[in-house]
Amino acid sequence: MTGSSEWKRWMRNSMARAKKTVEQKTLTLRGTPAEIAIQIRQALKDGGSAEHAAGVQWFFKEEIKSHGWYTAPLRRAIRGCRREILREHDFQFLTEVADQLFSGTVLEEKIAGVFLLEALDAQCGDREFAMFESWLDRISSWADHDGLVHYLISPMVAAKPARTKFVFRWARSPNRWHRRAACVSLIRGGRAQMLFPEIVRLSDSLLDDKDDMVQKGLGWLLRETAKFDAKRIVPYLMKIRERAPRLVLRTACETLPGPAKRRILAKSVH
């Protein structure tokens, strides 16, 4: 492909084909949760882009299986599937379909499981939270991790702060994705100016973590907290600047005013 106009035209055509393919498939979604998940998997395979799938791997250190979907058309298509499923079944049935999809090995299948339940956290309770926690053991990359934790788990932690007990358990895990989950799960709370003591406690416990995925997750949490609660987070960042990894500090400071950013980064020894 050459030229930006040709690239944009190809993207529009690819998205249109993908959306049409899955919307056609959603009209025939019938059967058990496992059977419906199989139908959605086939639609995702049929509607993907081999060219984009080849480019997806560039973003990941891990080996990724992808059908080559862009996020926006995938979200629209899966919300169409959700409407179709809920015409015939209840919310629990929908969660069972999502559970089947998140057990797959292809990136878009897992993201489809997340999108089936995205923005329905008001209907989710302890049963669903336990299911989402079990999905952490199925993570294969930061993409399916962040979809799960940011869109499903984090809103539920903000809605019920008692769930932070799970967050601190994840922070002690030898599994990098559990420790990253501990960070990302507090982001919605940070944006709502909630859970500040928990954010500080978690940050203190993970400052010495050497895993870059965990450091990026912690930096993300502190950056989002800074956007909405800079008055409290800046003194904390000043306190930890000599100990915190440079990656964490740089990420945490991204949205702060220049003078505050310079003060925080100036004396870091990392």
Side-chain angles (χ1 to χ4, degrees):
M1 299 239 175
T2 57
S4 60
S5 61
E6 187 177 357
W7 170 253
K8 290 177 181 177
R9 183 168 59 252
W10 175 82
M11 278 188 60
R12 287 196 300 268
N13 292 339
S14 175
M15 289 186 204
R17 288 196 306 270
K19 183 174 182 288
K20 182 178 179 182
T21 298
V22 175
E23 285 178 342
Q24 288 172 341
K25 291 288 183 181
T26 61
L27 297 177
T28 59
L29 289 178
R30 297 291 184 273
T32 66
E35 290 168 340
I36 289 177
I38 290 172
Q39 295 169 48
I40 294 175
R41 287 192 180 103
Q42 186 61 50
L44 292 173
K45 182 178 180 180
D46 294 344
S49 162
E51 292 173 271
H52 184 55
V56 167
Q57 184 60 60
W58 185 84
F59 291 99
F60 301 96
K61 294 181 179 179
E62 305 85 5
E63 183 177 351
I64 297 297
K65 294 181 181 180
S66 171
H67 290 316
W69 279 76
Y70 292 90
T71 301
L74 177 60
R75 178 181 272 115
R76 286 194 299 266
I78 295 304
R79 286 188 173 180
C81 292
R82 179 168 74 188
R83 288 192 296 271
E84 178 69 14
I85 292 168
L86 290 177
R87 285 193 187 102
E88 303 291 335
H89 304 284
D90 61 11
F91 178 72
Q92 180 171 335
F93 187 97
L94 183 71
T95 67
E96 292 170 2
V97 177
D99 189 44
Q100 290 285 330
L101 287 169
F102 208 88
S103 65
T105 59
V106 180
L107 176 61
E108 287 85 359
E109 294 177 6
K110 292 183 176 180
I111 299 302
V114 171
F115 285 167
L116 276 180
L117 302 177
E118 181 187 14
L120 298 181
D121 46 282
Q123 298 183 52
C124 294
D126 291 342
R127 170 190 170 274
E128 288 73 29
F129 189 85
M131 181 179 72
F132 298 152
E133 183 182 23
S134 74
W135 290 5
L136 292 175
D137 292 325
R138 308 177 192 175
I139 296 297
S140 57
S141 73
W142 58 260
D144 52 352
H145 170 280
D146 290 358
L148 164 62
V149 182
H150 186 60
Y151 290 112
L152 299 185
I153 292 178
S154 188
M156 295 191 70
V157 173
K160 188 176 179 179
R163 292 185 175 123
T164 55
K165 67 181 180 182
F166 298 99
V167 172
F168 292 106
R169 186 173 70 194
W170 302 336
R172 296 190 297 271
S173 171
N175 185 306
R176 71 190 309 197
W177 301 119
H178 285 68
R179 301 199 307 280
R180 182 178 172 95
C183 302
V184 178
S185 65
L186 295 183
I187 286 177
R188 298 298 180 97
R191 288 177 176 175
Q193 298 185 13
M194 298 167 52
L195 306 178
F196 189 80
E198 288 80 2
I199 291 171
V200 168
R201 176 184 165 193
L202 178 72
S203 300
D204 286 343
S205 72
L206 291 176
L207 282 178
D208 295 323
D209 200 301
K210 304 303 182 184
D211 192 293
D212 66 329
M213 285 290 103
V214 180
Q215 290 183 9
K216 290 176 181 177
L218 181 56
W220 184 13
L221 169 62
L222 294 172
R223 182 186 66 199
E224 294 304 304
T225 304
K227 287 180 182 179
F228 299 92
D229 202 357
K231 184 176 180 180
R232 286 196 290 181
I233 203 64
V234 167
Y236 175 69
L237 294 176
M238 291 291 291
K239 178 181 176 181
I240 66 172
R241 62 184 176 176
E242 299 293 344
R243 176 187 168 196
R246 191 72 174 179
L247 175 58
V248 171
L249 281 183
R250 284 201 312 266
T251 306
C253 291
E254 283 178 354
T255 63
L256 290 174
K261 182 186 300 186
R262 288 191 290 272
R263 287 199 310 272
I264 293 166
L265 296 177
K267 296 184 179 181
S268 173
V269 297
H270 294 277

